[in-house]
Amino acid sequence: MIVSASRRTDIPALYEPWFFHRLSEGFVWVRNPFNPHQVSRIPLSPDEVDAFVFWTKNAAPMLAQLDALRPYPFYFQFTLTSYGPDVEPGLPSKRTVILPAFLRLSRLIGPERVIWRYDPILFSSRYTPDFHARSFAALAKALQGSTYRCVFSFFKPYRKAERNVQPLRLLSMDEETMRNLVRSMAQTAHAYGMQLEACAQPMDLTAYGVGRAHCIDAQLLERLCGMPLKTKKDTGQRPLCGCAASVDIGAYNTCINGCLYCYANANPQTVMTRFHAHDSASPLLCSTLSPYDTIAETKAASVRVSQTRLKPD
């Protein structure tokens, strides 16, 4: 199976000791978000995990332990924007911490395995289309040679995020403005050796050379695994999502990055309570078993087609 770590929280930045402890133990427990008393036991051994996909805004805490991932194919979805603390209040300095972490990660594992996310794009009186065009160009220049792909999306007001973004006084996005920005970003990306891809966007952007993103990317994972993969579409995501199916080992309401646009947090008080209750030795992220919980074994189904190996590049 493909393991996603995680769309629900920033495991590399915030829960790195817990994650590597779970690797050493060979399993993790994950609560069902829709039925919290239903807990799945998910195996994490190299024999049962085909690959990991990591999602983060700061990979720095993981860099010293990447050797522990050698038995697994893996890559990172690394979000790096130019928003300030008014939008992403819990992040360390982009200039002195996050950007250097991105560059070092790329040097350690290679640019193909570090996908840059400039995501999501929102408009306000401060974060105008011109701001995004200039900021994207500055970041693309800094990341040249450290990634080959950039994924973006325009902000969609999920119910959980609508209240949080109110202080930003967001401006509406008309299609012409969005297209003009995408055209500029695509030209910039191409100039710095990157392919721009849109994540679950309804607009047809192929005229600008913009492809459809597959954040859980079966083709990339096939190259990393060295063999074909028999994957299915992830039906649990948005209809326009191009991701292959994966198993997420994160938990909602546990990310203290505090990004106002985030759909994974209900409110800051709940997040801080759960974060401070975290035990890095627990099989569960930010919680413990109760007498009302039931644990079910998740049977790992490999998606590898091991009879045929891909020819290496």
Side-chain angles (χ1 to χ4, degrees):
M1 61 182 170
I2 300 166
V3 174
S4 181
S6 157
R7 283 185 172 97
R8 301 170 183 170
T9 191
D10 196 332
I11 288 175
L14 303 173
Y15 301 106
E16 164 264 331
W18 174 83
F19 172 77
F20 285 110
H21 188 68
R22 297 323 317 145
L23 274 194
S24 67
E25 293 286 322
F27 74 96
V28 62
W29 291 343
V30 179
R31 290 191 185 278
N32 183 333
F34 306 105
N35 182 3
H37 290 304
Q38 183 182 78
V39 178
S40 297
R41 186 186 189 277
I42 298 170
L44 294 181
S45 73
D47 292 336
E48 295 168 295
V49 172
D50 294 311
F52 282 106
V53 178
F54 295 100
W55 307 70
T56 189
K57 291 185 171 73
N58 177 20
M62 281 191 78
L63 297 181
Q65 296 216 59
L66 291 177
D67 280 350
L69 293 173
R70 287 189 181 278
Y72 306 88
F74 68 93
Y75 67 89
F76 280 75
Q77 293 275 349
F78 198 134
T79 299
L80 176 54
T81 71
S82 292
Y83 294 126
D86 57 331
V87 179
E88 298 171 335
L91 296 182
S93 167
K94 306 269 179 81
R95 181 177 61 85
T96 63
V97 177
I98 297 178
L99 178 58
F102 191 113
L103 299 175
R104 187 178 169 211
L105 178 64
S106 178
R107 289 194 298 269
L108 290 170
I109 67 174
E112 184 183 35
R113 293 203 282 167
V114 189
I115 297 170
W116 174 28
R117 300 186 71 87
Y118 189 87
D119 172 59
I121 296 172
L122 50 80
F123 295 159
S124 70
S125 59
R126 177 179 180 183
Y127 300 111
T128 63
D130 183 61
F131 169 92
H132 284 294
R134 289 183 286 105
S135 298
F136 181 82
L139 286 171
K141 181 178 180 180
L143 297 175
Q144 184 177 19
S146 294
T147 184
Y148 300 143
R149 237 195 299 181
C150 178
V151 174
F152 79 94
S153 70
F154 288 101
F155 174 70
K156 181 179 179 180
Y158 291 94
R159 182 174 55 83
K160 288 183 180 179
E162 282 181 325
R163 179 182 59 192
N164 295 336
V165 299
Q166 287 180 1
L168 300 176
R169 300 177 183 237
L170 297 184
L171 303 177
S172 61
M173 301 180 180
D174 64 88
E175 184 169 329
E176 182 180 4
T177 300
M178 290 190 288
R179 286 185 175 276
N180 288 337
L181 177 57
V182 171
R183 184 186 299 111
S184 171
M185 290 172 60
Q187 292 170 348
T188 297
H190 179 75
Y192 289 109
M194 303 173 195
Q195 171 65 43
L196 188 65
E197 297 180 348
C199 180
Q201 297 303 293
M203 293 185 294
D204 182 359
L205 301 170
T206 54
Y208 314 126
V210 175
R212 182 187 182 195
H214 301 78
C215 302
I216 306 291
D217 188 338
Q219 291 186 353
L220 173 56
L221 289 169
E222 284 185 340
R223 292 198 297 273
L224 298 180
C225 292
M227 61 185 64
L229 302 178
K230 190 177 182 180
T231 59
K232 298 179 180 179
K233 177 179 170 57
D234 192 337
T235 57
Q237 304 300 322
R238 292 170 289 176
L240 292 173
C241 177
C243 285
S246 63
V247 176
D248 201 299
I249 61 169
Y252 290 115
N253 294 307
T254 60
C255 184
I256 61 168
N257 289 337
C259 303
L260 270 63
Y261 50 73
C262 183
Y263 62 85
N265 290 340
N267 63 73
Q269 293 78 17
T270 301
V271 171
M272 293 307 298
T273 298
R274 299 196 70 187
F275 178 76
H276 289 302
H278 170 64
D279 177 1
S280 61
S282 171
L284 280 165
L285 183 60
C286 294
S287 69
T288 57
L289 283 182
S290 80
Y292 306 102
D293 295 334
T294 58
I295 301 175
E297 186 81 22
T298 297
K299 296 190 181 297
S302 176
V303 296
R304 299 188 184 196
V305 183
S306 57
Q307 291 86 349
T308 305
R309 296 193 65 83
L310 297 178
K311 180 185 284 187
D313 294 337

